[in-house]
Amino acid sequence: MKEMDCVRITVEKPQYAQDGVHQGMYGWICLDDGSNGYWLVNIPQCGENPDIATLSVHENDMEVVPIMYAAVNERIKAEWGD
């Protein structure tokens, strides 16, 4: 993985959910270096809406994708009532 890669969260974990991040959400890698398998990931919303979170995500808990869909993040956020 590298900085600016688009990623999708592939697991549901309490440590991510406490920040409002759930399985299926999209984000992007903020820094070009991971630490102990964790990468800083920003989970945005559409337009001027504030980001859902910027958090450390383990590389095994996400996959690189060609396109990020912030609208999906908003839908998942609404489903969870976050």
Side-chain angles (χ1 to χ4, degrees), residues 38-78:
Y38 283 85
W39 296 82
L40 189 63
V41 177
N42 177 265
I43 309 294
Q45 295 190 82
C46 294
E48 297 298 317
N49 293 329
D51 295 338
I52 294 170
T54 300
L55 72 164
S56 292
V57 178
H58 195 273
E59 59 194 20
N60 294 336
D61 297 341
M62 59 185 166
E63 63 184 356
V64 175
V65 294
I67 299 172
M68 179 175 50
Y69 298 100
V72 171
N73 294 349
E74 291 179 350
R75 180 183 54 78
I76 293 170
K77 180 181 175 184

Side-chain angles (χ1 to χ4, degrees), residues 15-34:
Q15 67 207 49
Y16 305 148
Q18 71 185 11
D19 288 320
V21 176
H22 302 283
Q23 183 177 8
M25 287 187 164
Y26 290 84
W28 58 278
I29 304 290
C30 299
L31 300 172
D32 204 22
D33 57 341

